[in-house]
Amino acid sequence: MKPAACPLCQPAAPEQVLWQDARCRVILVDEPDYPAFCRVIWQAHVAEMSDLTHAEHQHLMRVVLAVERALRTHLRPDKINLASLGNQVPHLHWHVIARFQDDRHFPDSVWAPPRREHAATHPLPDKSAFCAEIARILA
Amino acid sequence: MKPAACPLCQPAAPEQVLWQDARCRVILVDEPDYPAFCRVIWQAHVAEMSDLTHAEHQHLMRVVLAVERALRTHLRPDKINLASLGNQVPHLHWHVIARFQDDRHFPDSVWAPPRREHAATHPLPDKSAFCAEIARILA
């Protein structure tokens, strides 16, 4: 996939962006079952973690863990799920997902068939405070 | 889940262990569709990456990336998938999976319904050399 055809090479809608710097951005994914589903996207078109330099992958994981920490503080989930897959869009990005025992797929992955139809969704109680928490951790 | 009931608190079968130190172990998972499926397991019973100290999570990611690099060298996959889920077993572990366009689920995650019945499995050509490569990267 060439960058010109890559959806993650396009800028995110400004209202989706929770935090960003020159190297990566954190967005809130438009996912009805998981309204607090976050994605950390490397800005450059790179496929794998091991394509990054040591300093780059340290930075990316620092941002991923900041999002994990902020989700734990703001939502008190039963578990955090982290995943970097990229089979459909081979542009490095991390899914950071707060999981709850009453969510649509628990205890399966969010990519498995759903376990329940009418599931709790656990939105962020305060998106601005959540953004501020990520920025605070990364400051 | 208490450590006594946690399957990841039990030692792995010696023939499964590809590499280990006092903090984590790398095992080859017994997964027929993905015979090179690796798992990096934190030795202590901890649930989340953000429960580790900075030095600990740096060490764990260093091992995860060593496995990624060794898989890329030995299998030349189309993509690497990394995931730390732990909804079923909340003991910190990473799945490191070499993915191929002709595997059972590509381009979906390995937790999705399969895409094809008779899929290529891409085993490690030389398990000893693969172990040696992980050890070399981590030396």
Side-chain angles (χ1 to χ4, degrees):
Chain A
M1 184 179 287
K2 292 275 194 274
C6 173
L8 296 185
C9 284
Q10 310 308 312
E15 68 276 12
Q16 276 195 302
V17 178
L18 304 177
W19 182 91
Q20 68 179 327
D21 69 0
R23 289 184 284 181
C24 57
R25 63 188 184 271
V26 181
I27 68 161
L28 192 60
V29 179
D30 185 13
E31 177 57 71
D33 291 327
Y34 299 94
F37 191 131
C38 295
R39 195 168 286 148
V40 183
I41 302 167
W42 193 248
Q43 306 279 26
H45 189 77
V46 166
E48 305 285 7
M49 282 295 278
S50 51
D51 293 330
L52 300 184
T53 66
H54 181 68
E56 287 171 338
H57 77 67
Q58 284 205 313
H59 180 69
L60 179 52
M61 287 314 294
R62 183 166 168 263
V63 176
V64 168
L65 284 187
V67 175
E68 169 173 321
R69 286 196 172 93
L71 284 172
R72 292 181 75 181
T73 299
H74 282 250
L75 287 174
R76 305 273 166 208
D78 294 308
K79 191 71 192 66
I80 291 288
N81 288 179
L82 303 178
S84 177
L85 308 177
N87 305 319
Q88 317 237 14
V89 181
H91 175 135
L92 186 58
H93 60 281
W94 282 86
H95 308 291
V96 187
I97 317 163
R99 301 297 311 278
F100 297 87
Q101 291 186 6
D102 58 1
D103 73 29
R104 189 130 193 250
H105 301 80
F106 201 92
D108 297 327
S109 92
V110 300
W111 301 282
R115 288 263 187 159
R116 51 196 71 85
E117 276 310 304
H118 302 288
T121 56
H122 302 275
L124 289 168
D126 184 335
K127 184 178 156 187
S128 296
F130 180 70
C131 292
E133 175 75 3
I134 295 172
R136 189 193 66 75
I137 296 169
L138 291 170
Chain B
M1 184 178 286
K2 292 273 196 278
C6 173
L8 296 185
C9 285
Q10 311 307 313
E15 68 273 15
Q16 276 194 302
V17 178
L18 303 177
W19 182 92
Q20 68 178 326
D21 69 1
R23 290 183 284 181
C24 58
R25 62 189 185 271
V26 181
I27 68 162
L28 192 61
V29 179
D30 184 15
E31 179 55 71
D33 291 328
Y34 298 93
F37 192 130
C38 295
R39 196 168 285 148
V40 183
I41 303 167
W42 193 249
Q43 305 281 26
H45 189 77
V46 166
E48 304 287 7
M49 282 295 277
S50 50
D51 293 330
L52 300 183
T53 67
H54 183 69
E56 286 172 339
H57 78 66
Q58 284 204 314
H59 180 69
L60 179 51
M61 287 315 294
R62 183 166 170 262
V63 176
V64 168
L65 284 188
V67 175
E68 169 173 321
R69 287 197 171 91
L71 284 172
R72 292 181 76 181
T73 299
H74 281 250
L75 286 175
R76 306 270 164 210
D78 294 308
K79 192 69 192 68
I80 290 287
N81 288 179
L82 303 178
S84 178
L85 308 178
N87 305 320
Q88 317 238 13
V89 181
H91 175 134
L92 186 57
H93 60 281
W94 281 87
H95 307 291
V96 187
I97 317 163
R99 301 297 311 276
F100 296 87
Q101 291 185 6
D102 58 2
D103 73 29
R104 191 131 191 250
H105 302 80
F106 201 92
D108 296 327
S109 91
V110 300
W111 301 282
R115 287 263 187 160
R116 51 197 71 85
E117 276 311 302
H118 301 289
T121 56
H122 302 277
L124 290 167
D126 184 335
K127 185 178 155 185
S128 297
F130 181 69
C131 292
E133 176 75 2
I134 295 172
R136 188 193 66 74
I137 296 169
L138 291 171

